[in-house]
Amino acid sequence: MASCQVYGNKPDTGPGQLSATAARDDVNEAQPTWLVAMAWTQDRTTYTSAIATANELETAFTAKFPGYNVVGV
């Protein structure tokens, strides 16, 4: 299962829960077959998909979070 992590440069500086959820919903709407799931903490948000690749997730969420570190795993 591919995943993508979004986080800031300091502790507790990840995207907010509402922003993270909205980004997940936007990606799921644009790519409904990906079925992206999300795990959120104040430090980082992890998005996972059994369909999309890590690179596809990274590309999709980089567009949603230009001010954060976005890394496909």
Side-chain angles (χ1 to χ4, degrees):
M1 187 172 284
S3 66
C4 177
Q5 296 183 355
V6 181
Y7 55 93
N9 292 320
K10 296 178 183 175
D12 298 334
T13 60
Q17 189 170 14
L18 290 177
S19 297
T21 301
R24 182 208 52 208
D25 292 348
D26 288 349
V27 171
N28 276 333
E29 186 175 316
Q31 300 291 341
T33 59
W34 286 5
L35 303 171
V36 176
M38 179 186 90
W40 180 88
T41 68
Q42 290 180 339
D43 289 325
R44 75 182 57 230
T45 302
T46 302
Y47 298 99
T48 58
S49 173
I51 307 299
T53 66
N55 287 339
E56 289 171 328
L57 290 172
E58 183 175 337
T59 299
F61 287 103
T62 296
K64 300 291 180 189
F65 297 107
Y68 291 90
N69 299 305
V70 181
V71 180
V73 183

